[in-house]
Amino acid sequence: SAVISQKPSRDICQRGTSLTIQCQVDSQVTMMFWYRQQPGQSLTLIATANQGSEATYESGFVIDKFPISRPNLTFSTLTVSNMSPEDSSIYLCSVEGRPQETQYFGPGTRLLVL
Amino acid sequence: AQTVTQSQPEMSVQEAETVTLSCTYDTSESDYYLFWYKQPPSRQMILVIRQEAYKQQNATENRFSVNFQKAAKSFSLKISDSQLGDAAMYFCASPLVFGKGTRLSVIA
């Protein structure tokens, strides 16, 4: 299994600002994923990030709002732009590992937008 | 589009007893994987068990087992000899689409 860390673990932000969340993996992985988990809710996939290509966004999520970088096989960032209180959520990164299609999750970033 | 449905928002079980969490799904794929993940309170999401759809044999991992009914598109999780540490949110997933979760409480 992969060991995944996220920074920051939590943050309180003012509306209209942006926050960049970092995800670091202890091994090289092809696919990384970003999820949003609103309070008490399930996980919703935001986008899939492959190294060397543009991220693929799910319906309802756009690059201008959630730009993603994937500069190498162990690191990715998700930016939440022009935040509003509706963006208050836990943001999780995950990677696909072994066995096939199994996901390993980071600890999450808990974001509160005031 | 894939969908995953968990119809039990909350469940409870006595310690040492057995509980079954339900999950149904819909997919157009012919070969796919299904998962149960556990998310303890304020802790990291972890894999509980994985099922390969082309395998007829139900997956088992120690006290955790699944009842996979491919024709019915049903994928339930059975937890035997429940322990206090089993208390958590349980999510069924296929594999990037997650159900709404079932909150399991274990009563001492």
Side-chain angles (χ1 to χ4, degrees):
Chain A
S1 65
V3 177
I4 304 166
S5 60
Q6 285 185 234
K7 291 181 180 180
S9 59
R10 60 178 63 227
D11 208 341
I12 301 174
C13 301
Q14 297 298 318
R15 70 173 66 208
T17 63
S18 298
L19 176 71
T20 295
I21 303 168
Q22 299 179 6
C23 180
Q24 180 76 52
V25 189
D26 69 341
S27 58
Q28 293 185 338
V29 294
T30 301
M31 301 180 74
M32 297 180 75
F33 307 91
W34 286 99
Y35 288 87
R36 182 173 71 185
Q37 185 177 23
Q38 294 179 306
Q41 302 296 314
S42 185
L43 283 72
T44 301
L45 182 64
I46 297 171
T48 301
N50 290 333
Q51 194 267 336
S53 63
E54 294 283 335
T56 302
Y57 289 82
E58 298 298 307
S59 176
F61 297 97
V62 295
I63 187 171
D64 290 347
K65 176 67 175 178
F66 297 102
I68 289 171
S69 76
R70 183 78 201 275
N72 57 52
L73 291 173
T74 64
F75 187 78
S76 178
T77 66
L78 169 76
T79 299
V80 186
S81 303
N82 187 24
M83 288 184 286
S84 67
E86 292 71 33
D87 294 319
S88 297
S89 287
I90 298 172
Y91 291 85
L92 296 155
C93 74
S94 74
V95 304
E96 181 179 335
R98 295 182 183 277
Q100 187 175 355
E101 296 202 15
T102 301
Q103 291 189 74
Y104 297 92
F105 288 86
T109 295
R110 190 177 297 268
L111 172 62
L112 176 63
V113 184
L114 302 177
Chain B
Q2 292 183 337
T3 60
V4 176
T5 302
Q6 293 178 251
S7 59
Q8 305 155 315
E10 296 184 356
M11 293 282 284
S12 62
V13 62
Q14 293 280 347
E15 199 174 4
E17 297 295 311
T18 295
V19 65
T20 298
L21 308 185
S22 301
C23 173
T24 58
Y25 64 93
D26 194 13
T27 180
S28 57
E29 304 288 331
S30 57
D31 189 16
Y32 51 91
Y33 302 87
L34 297 167
F35 302 84
W36 280 97
Y37 291 94
K38 170 184 177 181
Q39 188 177 42
S42 300
R43 293 183 64 185
Q44 208 152 332
M45 183 95 72
I46 58 173
L47 174 70
V48 175
I49 199 164
R50 172 182 179 269
Q51 174 78 41
E52 300 174 45
Y54 65 87
K55 288 188 175 180
Q56 293 187 342
Q57 186 175 7
N58 290 325
T60 62
E61 287 288 341
N62 301 314
R63 297 183 295 106
F64 299 87
S65 62
V66 299
N67 183 5
F68 175 48
Q69 302 289 330
K70 190 173 184 179
K73 296 185 176 178
S74 171
F75 181 60
S76 60
L77 174 69
K78 185 172 81 171
I79 306 173
S80 303
D81 185 25
S82 297
Q83 301 175 0
L84 295 178
D86 294 333
M89 283 290 290
Y90 287 82
F91 292 97
C92 178
S94 170
L96 300 179
V97 177
F98 285 71
K100 291 183 180 293
T102 297
R103 183 177 303 279
L104 178 66
S105 301
V106 181
I107 304 165

